[in-house]
Amino acid sequence: MIPPEHSGRSELRRRTVLGGGLGLGLGILLAACGGRPAAAPQVNVQGPPVSGGELRVGFVGGGASDTLDGAVATNLGDIARAINLYNTLMYFDHDYTLQPMLATAATPNDDATVWTVQLREGVKFCDGRPLRPEDVIASYMRIIDPDDPKSGAASLAHLDEIAKTGENEIEFRLSVADSAFLNNFGSYSNIIVPEDFDPAAPVGTGPFMLDSFTPAMSTVMVRNPHFWGDEGPYLDEVSLLNFNDTDALINALLSNQVDAIAQIPPALVEVIGADERINILDSVTGMYMPFTMRVDREPFDDVKVRQAFRLAVDRPGMLEQVLSGRGTVGNDMFAVFGEGYPKDLPQREQDIEEAKRLLAEAGYPDGLEVELVTAPIQSGVVEAAQVFAEQAAEAGITVTINRMDLTTYWTDYLNYDFSQTFWYTRDFLGQSNAGMMPDAPFNETHWDDEEYIDLVGRIRSETDDAKRQELIGQAQEILYDRGGLIIWGFANQIDAYQSYVGGLEEDRSGVPLSGFQLHKVWIGEVR
């Protein structure tokens, strides 16, 4: 993050490309407010939601490639547009639990090779046309188009056929069993659009519809009068505003140029939160920023080297120095909120002497020199590289950091021997399909473990919940023992907003500002 979220056009498909640094001091922050924070207005956001008004949302990132096509969402603006202009068949709620959206039910047959979806009745697109099964079929065929695959295509490779089987019923027919196929229905990029969809003039069923769009600058969305949901939208208008760096973003919040901002550096939470006009939204998530070791190249083709690198990490120290303690310690396995996550495995801790011993057994008794390729792809990534280099030195690992600009980094990132990446909250199979299988589009470690691959196949076809969870636990243990990821922690998603904004809640997805579910947000009344 999905998240997730990609495939087709480029290797940037799931990436939220953000810049900005941590070079903000208290003086700079307060300067935006004329030297002292103004008194907080008395605003009622505890009562029932209030209709009307405009919400101005700021974030860092975006560029000429910004898109209105939610099926190829790349950066934060793309994701916000995807979630608010369109709907998916299902969605993940704030607890990261799948809930009905345009579909009211999704049911598998006995061997999970066919999924039957019941569509919600009475749904209209923002131009007033009714949602039909034909639109859903066309939407998914567009996603898996072999000539122009969209972000969700990687997880839908086994989708053979989609057929209308009733007035509001569709069957998804698969080439292989997939007991978790319905999770694809909740991916924000698997948007449902009309059969004649034109990304240049987008039509969706989301809570808002497009008013104006200027790539790299701004998007204005207005209330969809045909929205089918029973909650919101309360706002008349939402403006999404691009900023070049974190300094400008935070100063815009403190000077009241925006009402909410996405992704603030953890180190600045206390400073920004000291302004009584500002609230902090701090969400525990499954988003992680791992170090990636290519298991098909020296020195990381030796499992002892991979184990040594993992033991060189002081995970609580990394969490404190990189995230100011705002996160949870990782144990080299992903999908921490997913079924089957093995919480009983021992927490891996720093063990310098054992790391040295393993390196010596692997043929490096005098230590090892490696290059770590990094870039500011997500808040905290570059800082994590610097902390790792310091920690690993104790084990005789000399790390040379090669910091690249964003464009250069993403151009070739799947080929680096030792590097970094980030992922939003995902379930186990979704993450495996996207990043851990030999044919996955983002197999960053070039993982090709036969036992793991076999287990993933069995997990897909297992319809018994208890047995599937047991298999997932076995696959996760393989990652724990010999995987190519150093998952040192899971980062909190931290946003900030004016005290007069209501409806924002903590969200596990890793997507900012309550998963960008802005139809639930309102502007409070000043008392």
Side-chain angles (χ1 to χ4, degrees):
M1 26 284 196
I2 192 159
E5 297 164 353
H6 43 275
S7 82
R9 188 175 60 184
S10 75
E11 292 177 350
L12 302 180
R13 198 54 89 214
R14 89 181 143 66
R15 306 301 174 180
T16 303
V17 182
L18 299 178
L22 299 180
L24 286 170
L26 181 60
I28 294 176
L29 292 173
L30 295 184
C33 307
R36 293 180 59 86
Q42 295 298 307
V43 182
N44 179 20
V45 293
Q46 302 302 319
V50 178
S51 293
E54 174 193 2
L55 181 75
R56 302 162 298 172
V57 177
F59 52 86
V60 173
S65 64
D66 287 358
T67 181
L68 294 169
D69 188 350
V72 292
T74 297
N75 56 47
L76 281 185
D78 292 345
I79 295 171
R81 286 183 285 272
I83 293 172
N84 287 280
L85 294 176
Y86 311 100
N87 290 136
T88 49
L89 292 177
M90 307 189 85
Y91 78 104
F92 288 98
D93 65 15
H94 295 315
D95 292 325
Y96 206 70
T97 300
L98 205 59
Q99 302 289 353
M101 192 170 244
L102 295 183
T104 57
T107 309
N109 64 351
D110 289 342
D111 64 359
T113 57
V114 177
W115 284 82
T116 301
V117 170
Q118 302 294 330
L119 294 181
R120 188 179 299 277
E121 297 183 18
V123 176
K124 294 182 179 180
F125 289 103
C126 63
D127 61 2
R129 286 183 288 169
L131 171 68
R132 307 166 302 142
E134 291 83 358
D135 298 311
V136 177
I137 294 171
S139 296
Y140 271 83
M141 295 306 294
R142 177 175 175 269
I143 291 167
I144 63 174
D145 179 1
D147 294 326
D148 185 21
K150 306 302 186 293
S151 299
S155 297
L156 297 168
H158 54 320
L159 176 55
D160 265 3
E161 184 183 10
I162 318 172
K164 176 180 178 180
T165 52
E167 185 177 353
N168 289 289
E169 185 179 275
I170 300 170
E171 281 187 359
F172 288 76
R173 300 165 183 169
L174 313 179
S175 59
V176 295
D178 189 347
S179 59
F181 185 77
L182 79 168
N183 287 332
N184 291 293
F185 300 150
S187 171
Y188 59 71
S189 62
N190 288 344
I191 59 172
I192 304 303
V193 294
E195 194 172 9
D196 60 354
F197 179 67
D198 178 5
V203 172
T205 61
F208 298 95
M209 57 186 190
L210 186 69
D211 181 70
S212 66
F213 172 59
T214 304
M217 292 185 64
S218 67
T219 306
V220 178
M221 303 179 293
V222 296
R223 185 199 305 256
N224 175 6
H226 301 290
F227 183 56
W228 55 272
D230 57 5
E231 181 177 8
Y234 304 111
L235 298 161
D236 292 330
E237 186 175 297
V238 173
S239 295
L240 306 175
L241 306 173
N242 299 64
F243 287 82
N244 291 328
D245 55 55
T246 304
D247 296 33
L249 179 70
I250 294 176
N251 284 334
L253 179 74
L254 296 177
S255 60
N256 204 35
Q257 297 174 49
V258 294
D259 307 303
I261 59 175
Q263 295 188 335
I264 64 173
L268 296 179
V269 168
E270 305 242 346
V271 175
I272 298 171
D275 188 327
E276 61 180 353
R277 303 168 305 158
I278 306 300
N279 290 333
I280 301 295
L281 184 63
D282 189 349
S283 299
V284 174
T285 80
M287 193 275 282
Y288 62 105
M289 300 177 288
F291 295 93
T292 59
M293 302 176 285
R294 277 195 62 166
V295 301
D296 62 333
R297 285 186 181 171
E298 293 183 353
F300 301 112
D301 57 347
D302 190 327
V303 67
K304 292 179 181 178
V305 172
R306 302 198 295 272
Q307 291 171 345
F309 271 57
R310 287 170 158 183
L311 291 172
V313 182
D314 173 7
R315 295 158 197 258
M318 181 81 75
L319 198 73
E320 187 62 37
Q321 293 184 65
V322 176
L323 301 176
S324 298
R326 296 182 182 273
T328 54
V329 172
N331 207 20
D332 301 322
M333 299 173 289
F334 46 69
V336 67
F337 297 138
E339 61 176 353
Y341 184 85
K343 298 179 181 178
D344 57 337
L345 288 176
Q347 174 60 55
R348 184 163 279 133
E349 298 179 350
Q350 186 181 50
D351 189 334
I352 297 299
E353 292 308 311
E354 179 64 8
K356 289 180 177 179
R357 187 189 70 79
L358 287 168
L359 287 175
E361 285 191 3
Y364 303 99
D366 299 322
L368 180 62
E369 295 184 11
V370 295
E371 178 184 76
L372 172 57
V373 183
T374 190
I377 56 176
Q378 178 84 340
S379 178
V381 166
V382 174
E383 292 77 15
Q386 295 165 342
V387 173
F388 178 84
E390 295 172 2
Q391 294 179 348
E394 298 181 44
I397 300 170
T398 301
V399 178
T400 300
I401 297 176
N402 178 6
R403 176 171 175 168
M404 298 182 176
D405 63 76
L406 290 170
T407 301
T408 304
Y409 181 85
W410 288 127
T411 299
D412 201 37
Y413 90 101
L414 288 178
N415 290 320
Y416 307 135
D417 291 355
F418 189 40
S419 186
Q420 291 169 279
T421 185
F422 76 92
W423 291 87
Y424 285 147
T425 305
R426 281 177 175 242
D427 63 283
F428 175 81
L429 278 180
Q431 182 69 81
S432 292
N433 290 339
M436 298 304 296
M437 301 298 283
D439 58 351
F442 300 98
N443 187 350
E444 294 141 333
T445 66
H446 293 246
W447 182 245
D448 190 7
D449 186 285
E450 291 184 5
E451 186 180 359
Y452 183 89
I453 294 167
D454 177 68
L455 279 168
V456 169
R458 293 167 61 190
I459 291 164
R460 285 175 178 164
S461 60
E462 182 56 68
T463 57
D464 181 277
D465 290 347
K467 292 180 180 178
R468 186 173 61 253
Q469 291 180 30
E470 181 181 352
L471 292 172
I472 290 174
Q474 293 175 25
Q476 290 271 38
E477 190 166 355
I478 289 174
L479 295 178
Y480 177 84
D481 288 338
R482 57 180 186 264
L485 296 172
I486 303 175
I487 302 178
W488 54 269
F490 297 94
N492 287 12
Q493 170 59 42
I494 308 174
D495 311 303
Y497 61 98
Q498 305 284 356
S499 61
Y500 52 74
V501 176
L504 290 171
E505 301 179 39
E506 294 181 13
D507 186 277
R508 284 182 164 186
S509 70
V511 177
L513 294 169
S514 295
F516 278 138
Q517 296 179 41
L518 302 181
H519 66 289
K520 299 180 180 180
V521 176
W522 70 90
I523 303 296
E525 294 180 327
V526 179
R527 293 184 289 188

